[in-house]
Amino acid sequence: AVKSDGVDYAFIRAGATTSSSFELKVDSKFDTNMEGSKAAGVARGVYWYSQATNEEEAVAEAKKLIAIAKKYDIELPLVMDLEFSNGRFDSANGSDYAKKRMTSVADAFLSYCRSQGYPAAIYLSTSLAGSTTGVDTTSLANNSHEVWVAHYSSNLSASSDYTMWQFTSTG
C-alpha cells in the first residue's frame, strides 16, 4: 500500500538506546519492516535512535547498528537519529555541556559507519543544527557526512549544509 502511494524509499529503525541507561535495544519490528520494504520494492536506509553521551558510546551504537543491518542489502545511508529528548545525553551533565558535545558524538558515530564502508547521515531538527546551539552541521558536512534535517514548514530556515529535508511529519 505504501509503495502504491508513491513511496520510493524508507528509513527503518533498527533500534534505540534507552533514555535511562546505556542499553542498546533492537526494534522488534526491524526484520519484518526490512523484509516487507524489500518485497514492495522500497529502497531502504536504517537508523538508530541515539542517546550516546560520549564518543565511545556513539561507536558502540554504530557497531550495533552495523551488526543488525549487515544481513541486508541497504540502498540508503545508515543514520544516527540524534534528538535533544531529556534523555541520557542532555541529563548527563546539563544541556549546555550536551550541546557542546553533540558534534563530537555525532562525528564519532558517523565516522565509524563510514570506516566500515557504509554511507552515513545524521538526522536532527533544525533547532539542534547550529555551531553554537547544538550540532555543527557545517563541520559534519565538511567531513563528508550527510545531514538530514526535520523542519515542518514550506520554507527551510536551516543552513544549506543538508542533504535531505523532512518537511512534514504526515503523509
Side-chain angles (χ1 to χ4, degrees), residues 122-166:
I122 184 169
Y123 170 81
L124 70 169
S125 66
T126 53
S127 63
L128 287 182
S131 60
T132 60
T133 59
V135 177
D136 184 349
T137 55
T138 300
S139 172
L140 293 177
N142 287 342
N143 199 15
S144 300
H145 300 310
E146 296 185 42
V147 177
W148 170 13
V149 294
H151 183 75
Y152 306 144
S153 173
S154 59
N155 296 307
L156 182 60
S157 62
S159 72
S160 61
D161 298 320
Y162 64 91
T163 306
M164 293 188 295
W165 168 25
Q166 180 180 343

Side-chain angles (χ1 to χ4, degrees), residues 73-110:
D73 293 324
I74 298 172
E75 300 86 357
L76 301 169
L78 298 182
V79 178
M80 176 188 211
D81 178 359
L82 183 60
E83 301 189 29
F84 208 52
S85 61
N86 294 321
R88 293 182 65 252
F89 195 174
D90 42 315
S91 64
N93 292 296
S95 61
D96 288 339
Y97 173 82
K99 288 176 184 178
K100 291 175 187 172
R101 298 285 303 138
M102 284 180 163
T103 303
S104 296
V105 170
D107 185 60
F109 184 105
L110 301 173

Side-chain angles (χ1 to χ4, degrees), residues 4 19 28 51 63 71 79 104 112-114 125 134 146:
S4 67
S19 61
S28 63
Q51 286 289 314
K63 285 180 178 180
K71 64 182 174 180
V79 178
S104 296
Y112 183 81
C113 290
R114 288 184 50 228
S125 66
E146 296 185 42

Side-chain angles (χ1 to χ4, degrees), residues 1-108:
V2 171
K3 178 68 174 174
S4 67
D5 277 348
V7 172
D8 296 322
Y9 65 91
F11 285 90
I12 298 169
R13 188 175 87 159
T17 304
T18 58
S19 61
S20 60
S21 67
F22 191 72
E23 183 181 353
L24 306 172
K25 300 197 105 176
V26 176
D27 189 305
S28 63
K29 301 284 187 183
F30 177 71
D31 290 319
T32 300
N33 291 334
M34 290 296 286
E35 291 163 9
S37 60
K38 181 177 182 172
V42 174
R44 299 160 301 169
V46 179
Y47 76 93
W48 188 270
Y49 185 92
S50 175
Q51 286 289 314
T53 61
N54 57 50
E55 291 86 344
E56 293 79 21
E57 289 179 351
V59 169
E61 289 177 337
K63 285 180 178 180
K64 184 70 169 180
L65 175 61
I66 289 169
I68 296 165
K70 72 180 178 181
K71 64 182 174 180
Y72 296 99
D73 293 324
I74 298 172
E75 300 86 357
L76 301 169
L78 298 182
V79 178
M80 176 188 211
D81 178 359
L82 183 60
E83 301 189 29
F84 208 52
S85 61
N86 294 321
R88 293 182 65 252
F89 195 174
D90 42 315
S91 64
N93 292 296
S95 61
D96 288 339
Y97 173 82
K99 288 176 184 178
K100 291 175 187 172
R101 298 285 303 138
M102 284 180 163
T103 303
S104 296
V105 170
D107 185 60

